[in-house]
Amino acid sequence: MKTRERKQQDLDALTASLQNSTSAMIVSFNNLTVAKDVEFRNRLREAGAEYRVVKNTLARIAVKGTDYEQATESFKGVTAIAWTDGDPVVLSKAVSKFMKDNADHYTFKSGVVDGKLVDLQQLTTIASLPSKEELISKLLYVLNAQAQRIVTVINAVPRDLAVVIKQIGEKDPASRGGGTATAKAEDAPTAEAAPAEEAPAAEASEPASDAPAAEATPAEGSAE
């Protein structure tokens, strides 16, 4: 039989643990085997939770002044408490699944999640949510995917710019027009030079046309 001092130590330890926790589940059990008890404790340990079978009187005193006081009505019959200072979803998943798989031995009484009293149906709903680790993993995946897209876009900008510049160089009408204008400018002096080169030929032909006229004058004089 525990001494008064020992009971006070148990009370102080339970009170401190609950005050530092974020969520707690209150369960009952019957016809429990040692193997099932060990299995349940291991599941809770994996979820980062603590577990203890408590006396109802001790539990009522321990929860006074805390968020768990609203679960006082559950401290009847055989009572055990599982609590955690970590992710309440992880604890909810562990308790919900084990209650479902071992309904012949365990019964869910009530729970307190982030200061809210929950029943079995609400517990099941909470258990269906992704855990904090799962949410972080999904968030990192999304952020990483977005980062990869940003890098792809940034890398595509200079590449696309180079393509555009090349296309402008190949298709710019001004560049094509400039070439034509140059060609016309080069052809213009040639066209103007042609008459200048033909002028001496025209002058050379004039004496040839005057020669018969000079010869005609003596012919007329001799006829006289």
Side-chain angles (χ1 to χ4, degrees):
M1 186 175 181
K2 290 185 179 180
T3 64
R4 181 183 295 272
E5 183 180 354
R6 179 60 179 173
K7 289 180 180 179
Q8 186 61 45
Q9 290 176 350
D10 291 344
L11 175 60
D12 293 342
L14 180 60
T15 302
S17 296
L18 291 175
Q19 287 178 343
N20 293 327
S21 66
T22 58
S23 303
M25 305 298 165
I26 304 165
V27 302
S28 181
F29 53 86
N30 61 82
N31 301 322
L32 187 63
T33 63
V34 174
K36 280 297 177 185
D37 181 55
V38 172
E39 182 182 357
F40 188 41
R41 290 174 184 273
N42 288 339
R43 294 284 183 85
L44 294 173
R45 190 177 297 110
E46 291 172 358
E50 295 184 55
Y51 176 76
R52 183 180 301 178
V53 178
V54 298
K55 288 186 176 295
N56 293 314
T57 303
L58 182 67
R60 292 190 190 100
I61 298 172
V63 299
K64 280 186 177 181
T66 71
D67 291 334
Y68 305 111
E69 188 172 1
Q70 57 191 316
T72 299
E73 292 299 320
S74 299
F75 298 130
K76 298 177 181 178
V78 179
T79 303
I81 305 177
W83 67 90
T84 182
D85 59 356
D87 188 353
V89 176
V90 176
L91 174 59
S92 300
K93 287 178 181 294
V95 173
S96 177
K97 187 176 188 310
F98 203 84
M99 295 294 108
K100 182 179 179 180
D101 295 342
N102 300 274
D104 294 340
H105 301 291
Y106 285 92
T107 303
F108 179 79
K109 289 185 175 183
S110 66
V112 177
V113 178
D114 285 341
K116 304 296 182 181
L117 187 68
V118 299
D119 56 22
L120 180 59
Q121 183 177 357
Q122 293 168 323
L123 174 71
T124 304
T125 302
I126 295 172
S128 66
L129 298 173
S131 66
K132 187 179 295 184
E133 289 185 357
E134 291 172 334
L135 288 174
I136 293 174
S137 178
K138 291 180 180 180
L139 177 61
L140 290 176
Y141 173 79
V142 171
L143 292 176
N144 187 49
Q146 292 296 333
Q148 290 179 346
R149 291 175 185 172
I150 291 173
V151 171
T152 301
V153 171
I154 292 175
N155 290 336
V157 169
R159 182 180 67 247
D160 294 344
L161 182 60
V163 172
V164 171
I165 292 174
K166 181 180 179 182
Q167 291 176 347
I168 291 175
E170 293 175 350
K171 298 181 179 181
D172 185 9
S175 62
R176 292 200 309 270
T180 304
T182 303
K184 290 181 178 179
E186 292 174 353
D187 293 342
T190 305
E192 294 174 357
E197 293 174 356
E198 292 174 356
E203 294 174 357
S205 61
E206 289 178 359
S209 60
D210 293 341
E215 294 174 356
T217 302
E220 293 176 355
S222 59
E224 291 175 354

